[in-house]
Amino acid sequence: MNLLDVDNLWVKFPTRTGIFDAVRGISFSLGQERLGIVGESGSGKSMTGRAILKLIRPPGQIIADRIAIEGDDIIAMNERQMRKVRGERISMVMQDPKFSLNPVMTVGDQIMEAYRTHTRSSKTDAKRKALEMLEAVSIRAPERVFRAYPHEMSGGMGQRIMIAMMLIPDPRILIADEPTSALDVSVQTQVLGIIDRLVKERGMGLIFISHDLNLVSSFCDRVLIMYSGRIVETCQADKLHEAQHPYTRGLLNSLPRLDAPNRRLEVLQRDPAWRDAPSVSGRI
Amino acid sequence: MNAVDISDLNVWFGKGRDRVDAVRNVSLTLAQGGSLGLVGESGSGKSTILRALTGLAPSWTGQMTVAGKTLGRRRTRTFYQTVQMVFQDPYASLHPRHSIDQVLSETLTLHGYRDIEPRIEKLLADVGLGPSYRFRYPHQLSGGQRQRVAIARALAPEPAILLLDEPTSALDVSVQAEILNLLTDIRAERDLSYMMVSHDLAVVGHMCERIAVMQNGEIVETMSVEDMRAMRMTHPYSKHLLSASMGLPTDEALSDL
């Protein structure tokens, strides 16, 4: 059984000029793998991630034939049932720790809260678990960080704290939405290494949302390429550079390359037909 | 004569116990018509050098010379007719309630031009925006179009030197390609000198002939782009930065964990 099955997912937002479809009927599945979703801003990749957690605020609407987590359909679930799903079965790491951590709560209290929301446990137990988790995300002085506030942390530390918090209820699926875009390249590799190790150790499925094609190609197992709310192509991540779709090729060619210098960069020529082509299935 | 000469530049913020030395003993030169890239992590001081040049850093020592003139504490109008800057975030660097026409005409008026009409039209055409964009507001433009406006504004006083602070890091790669091409064309047409700050080594490698690597406020190594492409660098930090930006988890990065 797949960890996640998504059938015909739409995300719609009513606007003054009619309904805007941010995601337009995509289907994909996730096993115990690292699945990358790439695309430009506005392609619907983040909306897809949020829709799986049912985190789209009204008046936005999520419509799907089925979104199943280990076989359980979440479309019919109410908010109370969803709170059991979020964190415990799927969690999400957001882009910028500066805006996603509570600024007036210590790091330790936030991690303990995440743990105690989902398990009946004593405070001492939760504290021990939180310290273990901080150690698992390679924080050298867990006791000190436990007592610290988020503003005392660097970006890379903040992101590791987020990961610790998201993984402490032991979810099956982790959605990481641009988890390293706000970080420096050298810190980026560290954070990715941590995500990779934890996802492997715990046998989780990872959905990695990013605009960075090179990163996704080297980090993931499989990639979905999204364009204006649809999946235009899927491929093995290590074969991303051999991708066929003109959109994917255009994105790849527009990147400046250190190993192949050229005076002018190729500019993506958008074909209106890409928008109308039916979505490719992202099922395994 | 070099476009920019900086020697022994120190920039700091705060005082006493809270003093942060953002730039330490930096010396660099930007050749006339050349392009220099500053790379490094956030907090390494690369943007602070640009800010110090334009007079946006409050406390500094050392010597900065632009086009043969040594800079003092205050910048004059002639300075801003030589040096202009393009900022990182096109969403934040344009006034939300000024139309493109107001943005450009204000700049032109401040620099004492009288023939504003034809100049605005020419500037918009130079950055690849049609005349229909002239009376739009920033929220009616995409990120790439806004960055084009920011470039047009920087070009308004006909500067010889452009300082580019991460000009494309807020943009999608496809739009980044358009903006980088535009910057390449403008530089060739107007014989400009560029000093560019970026965390993306591939972007700097594409735009610049010389690259300075910064760490903790110091320049640890300066090299030509050919040397960078061929991985001929000597300082371990530059090697680390390059392999990290090639997208490969380096052995050191993994052993850091």
Side-chain angles (χ1 to χ4, degrees), chain A residues 132-146:
Chain A
E132 268 174 35
M133 203 61 227
L134 284 173
E135 233 167 295
V137 293
S138 308
I139 283 177
R140 283 199 195 91
E143 290 276 359
R144 182 176 65 80
V145 170
F146 188 88

Side-chain angles (χ1 to χ4, degrees), chain A residues 138-179:
Chain A
S138 308
I139 283 177
R140 283 199 195 91
E143 290 276 359
R144 182 176 65 80
V145 170
F146 188 88
R147 286 190 306 271
Y149 283 91
H151 74 268
E152 300 171 75
M153 302 287 112
S154 67
M157 291 267 262
Q159 204 55 300
R160 284 189 261 175
I161 290 162
M162 277 270 281
I163 294 167
M165 194 182 302
M166 291 305 138
L167 292 186
I168 203 165
D170 219 4
R172 303 288 295 137
I173 302 169
L174 180 68
I175 301 174
D177 189 357
E178 307 258 10

Side-chain angles (χ1 to χ4, degrees), chain B residues 162-211:
Chain B
L162 271 195
L163 306 179
L164 306 162
D165 189 359
E166 304 258 18
T168 60
S169 61
L171 307 174
D172 276 317
V173 286
S174 50
V175 183
Q176 165 173 289
E178 292 173 19
I179 297 295
L180 293 182
N181 281 342
L182 171 67
L183 289 170
T184 310
D185 293 344
I186 292 173
R187 184 172 161 222
E189 280 162 23
R190 301 181 173 227
D191 195 26
L192 295 173
S193 313
Y194 281 175
M195 198 185 288
M196 180 172 189
V197 161
S198 179
H199 66 280
D200 188 331
L201 268 75
V203 166
V204 165
H206 176 75
M207 296 296 294
C208 302
E209 288 122 34
R210 293 199 61 76
I211 287 120

Side-chain angles (χ1 to χ4, degrees), chain A residues 40-41 138 140 184-186 189-190 194 218 251 254-258 261-268 270, chain B residues 41-42 172-174 176-178 180-181 184-185 201-203 206 228-229 240-242 247 249 253 256-257:
Chain A
E40 292 174 277
S41 36
S138 308
R140 283 199 195 91
D184 281 318
V185 272
S186 48
T189 41
Q190 277 184 18
I194 290 166
S218 62
L251 283 186
S254 62
L255 286 169
R257 286 175 55 181
L258 280 172
N262 52 350
R263 214 186 75 77
R264 287 186 68 83
L265 296 165
E266 222 169 281
V267 171
L268 183 65
R270 286 160 213 273
Chain B
E41 295 185 15
S42 30
D172 276 317
V173 286
S174 50
Q176 165 173 289
E178 292 173 19
L180 293 182
N181 281 342
T184 310
D185 293 344
L201 268 75
V203 166
H206 176 75
M228 183 172 85
R229 287 218 172 89
H240 171 73
L241 201 62
L242 187 65
D256 278 356
L257 298 181

Side-chain angles (χ1 to χ4, degrees), chain A residues 88-124:
Chain A
E88 217 164 305
R89 302 177 75 179
I90 309 192
S91 42
M92 186 161 182
V93 175
M94 311 271 185
Q95 177 167 356
D96 199 333
K98 272 202 291 275
F99 301 112
S100 315
L101 294 172
N102 186 342
V104 293
M105 221 172 143
T106 63
V107 167
D109 283 347
Q110 295 186 53
I111 300 181
M112 274 167 42
E113 183 187 42
Y115 185 61
R116 296 187 76 200
T117 312
H118 294 285
T119 46
R120 287 166 169 277
S121 63
S122 66
K123 264 199 149 167
T124 23

Side-chain angles (χ1 to χ4, degrees), chain B residues 135-150:
Chain B
F135 294 102
R136 292 201 194 177
Y137 287 89
H139 74 268
Q140 296 170 307
L141 305 179
S142 69
Q145 289 166 341
R146 286 185 219 198
Q147 202 58 303
R148 284 175 194 269
V149 173

